Amino acid sequence: MSRHEHPDAQAQFESALQTLRDHQHRITEPRKAILTILTREHGPFTAEELHKQMAKGGCDLVTVYRCLTAMEEINLVRRCDFGDGCYRYEFNTGEHHHHHIICRSCQAVETLDMCVADGLERMARQMGFANVTHTLEIFGVCATCQQKS
Amino acid sequence: MSRHEHPDAQAQFESALQTLRDHQHRITEPRKAILTILTREHGPFTAEELHKQMAKGGCDLVTVYRCLTAMEEINLVRRCDFGDGCYRYEFNTGEHHHHHIICRSCQAVETLDMCVADGLERMARQMGFANVTHTLEIFGVCATCQQKS
DNA sequence: ATATGTGCAAATTCTTTGCATTAGA
DNA sequence: TCTAATGCAAAGAATTTGCACATAT
């Protein structure tokens, strides 16, 4: 719970609210609840995980999906795809791009703060593509799970 | 149809049949049909696309799914994830790793023959992970689609 | 006041499973 | 022959949509 708590979660949370306002989006309870979780813990989380984590009251799962979609459109959150059939979302700090390394055995997620895809994106631009982005996820078996087997 | 036809499709097809035999898998009509498409055209294709492309007779869509799953397990095909809710499959030549660049507008797929993720995988191994793999897809708007807008 | 967001129910889409039947080796 | 593979129908899981009601600005 607190082990992965982000140091300036509060600041990120406030900034996120401002971004919502900037885009003429309303500050609602479900949105605040989702942003509270996403700025406190890194995630990334599925819609279902966020829904379960929401404090008393909470909101409908459908609302979680709609909020996440809306937030992704204004780049407040980033959608990750671990190839297991559901999407995960994390707060988009806007800072340096990063990637994840996912344990195929226990599903634990660690963050990799480097990104080597700049060269690839440059190549794509040379091929005539505009507005280039990419997704990159790494998979392996973590040290702990290796010992177990 | 023939524009993207692979030069040694025939050889790859035969080799694929052998791989099936090596794994005690039977050479059935649906499997031959799927492998014929995948060795002739690069793809990657969804199960549905393969199903539609299958010549007269064809087979059930469920069988396509089952064949692809079986073939992925023995590394005959590679599963790609463009993050749009369905998986795509391509023949695994076993040659150098490559990636795709997908046009966000017309969905056209081009192949990028370089891979810069070796550094990332090395880093993952240093973090204690074993059996490291990765997925990397690039998205952009192709030259043709840029002109249209 | 009013457009935007939400809840609930139902629909959609992709994929998987169960089971009787067919067909490779 | 005899087990693996297929077809059909139905189930499952994740996500989206329609519409009446609620609520933030």
Side-chain angles (χ1 to χ4, degrees), chain B residues 17 26 48 55 98 106 126 144:
Chain B
L17 296 190
R26 294 178 181 174
E48 195 120 22
H98 70 264
C106 68
Q126 283 168 2
T144 312

Side-chain angles (χ1 to χ4, degrees), chain B residues 35-98:
Chain B
L35 285 170
T36 298
I37 299 171
L38 291 182
T39 52
R40 280 204 188 136
E41 299 176 59
H42 178 272
F45 301 114
T46 63
E48 195 120 22
E49 287 168 342
L50 287 168
H51 184 239
K52 281 186 187 141
Q53 267 184 76
M54 290 180 55
K56 27 84 190 168
C59 70
D60 199 279
L61 177 59
V62 173
T63 299
V64 177
Y65 277 107
R66 283 194 269 227
C67 289
L68 290 172
T69 303
M71 291 179 188
E72 199 204 354
E73 279 165 2
I74 58 177
N75 276 308
L76 260 186
V77 302
R78 218 161 65 95
R79 194 176 79 170
C80 307
D81 187 343
F82 292 176
D84 65 345
C86 56
Y87 296 119
R88 286 173 175 76
Y89 295 84
E90 67 184 359
F91 187 71
N92 186 3
T93 64
E95 290 163 32
H96 53 305
H97 202 74
H98 70 264

